[in-house]
Amino acid sequence: MPVKLSSSSLKQTHWYEYGVRFVLGGLATVLAGLVGAHFGETVGGLFLALPAVFCASATLIESHERRAKEKAGLDGRRRGREAAALDAAGASLGSIGLAAFAAVFYITVPASTVGAFVAAVAIWAAVSVSIWWLRRKLRIVSRRSSS
């Protein structure tokens, strides 16, 4: 599936869904702040690595997909759950890339801040793309072996 930018989803989103995103994102940030205050900044920073919008985006993706199928006269619950699960899988793969970014930045920042940032971005991209490619290849192999 090619990645593309589309503004059509902005037209499909209701005003209250933006409110839900704002509230859930804020709650996730407050939770990370409380964890950081109790356990220290290092642990709190790990919790901030959780994309604050993910909490809301999974439910919003599910509702958009379900509504689209229901408009076509079909039951959209399964499609909505599958779309939310796909979003969650992408977020988990992205978090592995983010962990690689954090590790490289932490190790290299004493030498050079700019160099650490460049190296961390390069590692993030390499790890994220490699994991995506590996997951895709494993899915293709598992489909062939199951059929």
Side-chain angles (χ1 to χ4, degrees), residues 23-126:
V23 169
L24 290 178
L27 288 174
T29 304
V30 168
L31 175 66
L34 292 172
V35 167
H38 189 265
F39 295 103
E41 294 85 15
T42 303
V43 176
L46 292 174
F47 277 81
L48 279 176
L50 166 73
V53 296
F54 177 72
C55 303
S57 71
T59 58
L60 294 176
I61 288 170
E62 186 274 335
S63 67
H64 283 180
E65 289 295 323
R66 183 176 34 82
R67 272 190 266 149
K69 285 292 185 178
E70 287 172 354
K71 276 185 181 179
L74 303 168
D75 181 24
R77 287 180 289 180
R78 180 174 174 219
R79 172 71 177 193
R81 285 191 301 260
E82 288 174 351
L86 186 59
D87 186 55
S92 64
L93 293 177
S95 68
I96 295 169
L98 183 61
F101 175 97
V104 168
F105 190 83
Y106 180 78
I107 292 168
T108 58
V109 77
S112 165
T113 304
V114 173
F117 185 72
V118 170
V121 168
I123 290 298
W124 166 77

